[in-house]
Amino acid sequence: MRGLLTLRDLSTEKILELIKYAEKLKRGFRIQYPDKKIATLFFENSTRTQYSFQCALMNLGIKVVDFDTQLSSIAKGESLYDTVRTFEALGVDGVVIRHSKDEYFKELETIKIPIFNGGDGKANHPTQSLLDLMTIHEEFQKFEGLKCCIVGDISHSRVAHTNIEIMERLGMEVYISGPEEFNDHSAPYLPLDEAIEKMDIIMLLRVQFERHQEKMKISVEEYHKRYGMTVERMEKMKENAIIMHPAPINRGVEIASEVAECPKSRIYKQMTNGVYIRMAVISDSLDGNL
Ligand code: CP
């Protein structure tokens, strides 16, 4: 299949090449595809991924075909496959898809146009990981040997699952922390206050209440006290350490409101880098390389 579905499909060299290409685009390199059109099909809510893909497409001179699930024939029972097959028949040059089903793209193996995965269930969020890596690379100019702890709702997080695999592949030391009920053992566990003092990167996650089968065992107030990035915890981090979060953020739950925009926070830089990473991925695909 063409496009970008998972980072496991890409070699480490290709991932580094995409990050370098995104950095070049951020420095002002201009490339245009005025004859192309790409559809954005979001079957789950999204602000950053949906609109940064749309900004990336506009920056590349590509026409955006917007899709509203409420006004589409999905409401009449049309399947994901038939929806994507329709866009292919309409002549679009690619589709961006976010869907709640893990690995939804396995149903789309016969589709010939590129598919750019904007997140599938709890499994993959490849462009989020690439923008996270770009932000880390901008900060430290390397990956090898960096220590990162991902904190929070690990078991429901496609961001955590995608990042753990690629960060380990790039030679980073990756740990997880947070409530035991969200520990899926996808990386070694560290108590939060130990992680705060030792890590180069603390990556916070939102508690994904919408994916929970059962109510969280502790209140959000208790969560903030035990696992949140408070001002006191932020002040104990290493001098050059940074705070990341894929967002949306819940101020006062996983992060104190004043920490979200403190000098250690790279949350808004991650969002800016998302536009350049998505430009790099789409451009590389339209050039026939993905
Ligand atoms: N980080 C992220 O995927 O945000 P959205 O759900 O708003 O796209």
Side-chain angles (χ1 to χ4, degrees):
M1 292 172 79
R2 293 165 59 205
L4 177 59
L5 304 172
T6 83
L7 288 192
R8 290 187 306 279
D9 299 334
L10 301 186
S11 67
T12 308
E13 292 68 34
K14 186 72 194 176
I15 286 167
L16 296 174
E17 187 189 307
L18 284 169
I19 293 166
K20 290 223 169 82
Y21 187 26
E23 289 172 345
K24 184 171 156 183
L25 288 161
K26 192 173 179 180
R27 287 195 299 274
F29 177 73
R30 197 174 140 81
I31 185 162
Q32 295 286 287
Y33 302 86
D35 300 330
K36 302 290 184 188
K37 45 189 176 300
I38 289 185
T40 52
L41 317 182
F42 278 71
F43 297 89
E44 257 194 352
N45 293 0
S46 167
T47 299
R48 273 143 296 275
T49 311
Q50 177 165 210
Y51 296 103
S52 71
F53 259 115
Q54 293 196 0
C55 288
L57 293 168
M58 290 176 205
N59 291 349
L60 293 168
I62 298 167
K63 289 168 196 72
V64 178
V65 182
D66 205 0
F67 174 78
D68 184 335
T69 48
Q70 301 301 317
L71 297 177
S72 75
S73 289
I74 292 286
K76 301 177 204 164
E78 191 161 45
S79 68
L80 173 64
Y81 172 80
D82 284 322
T83 303
V84 178
R85 186 71 188 85
T86 298
F87 277 100
E88 187 174 51
L90 295 178
V92 303
D93 299 286
V95 285
V96 180
I97 302 178
R98 169 173 286 188
H99 202 282
S100 58
K101 187 173 174 190
D102 286 16
E103 301 189 324
Y104 66 79
F105 42 80
K106 287 190 170 162
E107 296 170 26
L108 304 175
E109 278 172 0
T110 56
I111 298 291
K112 293 188 179 59
I113 54 174
I115 298 171
F116 305 100
N117 186 3
D120 59 290
K122 302 185 289 299
N124 301 280
H125 199 344
T127 57
Q128 177 69 45
S129 282
L130 288 173
L131 74 88
D132 291 343
L133 294 175
M134 178 181 175
T135 307
I136 291 168
H137 192 253
E138 273 187 349
E139 192 71 32
F140 299 101
Q141 291 81 50
K142 64 171 188 175
F143 296 108
E144 184 81 36
L146 290 175
K147 295 185 174 71
C148 175
C149 186
I150 307 178
V151 183
D153 189 354
I154 308 290
S155 55
H156 298 98
S157 173
R158 55 192 169 215
V159 176
H161 297 138
T162 312
N163 270 336
I164 290 166
E165 189 274 328
I166 184 58
M167 286 178 174
E168 287 180 345
R169 195 151 37 112
L170 289 166
M172 292 174 63
E173 272 182 46
V174 191
Y175 301 91
I176 56 175
S177 191
E180 188 51 38
E181 64 185 291
F182 300 142
N183 181 0
D184 61 5
H185 307 280
S186 47
Y189 185 90
L190 269 188
L192 180 59
D193 288 310
E194 187 181 336
I196 291 288
E197 292 182 9
K198 291 185 176 164
M199 296 293 111
D200 301 298
I201 302 141
I202 297 284
M203 182 177 286
L204 305 165
L205 300 176
R206 182 176 66 88
V207 180
Q208 298 196 41
F209 294 105
E210 73 278 15
R211 295 191 202 280
H212 293 183
Q213 305 290 331
E214 290 171 21
K215 203 168 175 290
M216 188 167 67
K217 292 196 175 91
I218 54 174
S219 67
V220 290
E221 291 79 17
E222 188 63 16
Y223 184 97
H224 186 63
K225 214 163 103 186
R226 288 167 63 178
Y227 307 110
M229 180 59 82
T230 58
V231 173
E232 296 71 34
R233 288 197 173 105
M234 179 267 288
E235 286 173 346
K236 288 185 185 149
M237 289 174 67
K238 293 202 294 190
E239 193 183 338
N240 296 324
I242 59 169
I243 297 166
M244 298 177 71
H245 190 316
I249 56 175
N250 283 315
R251 292 173 187 253
V253 184
E254 70 275 9
I255 188 163
S257 188
E258 51 272 58
V259 177
E261 295 178 60
C262 77
K264 284 194 173 301
S265 169
R266 296 294 175 273
I267 296 172
Y268 294 93
K269 195 174 199 186
Q270 287 172 264
M271 295 178 201
T272 303
N273 286 344
V275 176
Y276 296 105
I277 275 292
R278 288 166 178 133
M279 286 171 73
V281 167
I282 292 161
S283 167
D284 203 43
S285 178
L286 293 178
D287 288 349
N289 302 318
L290 269 183

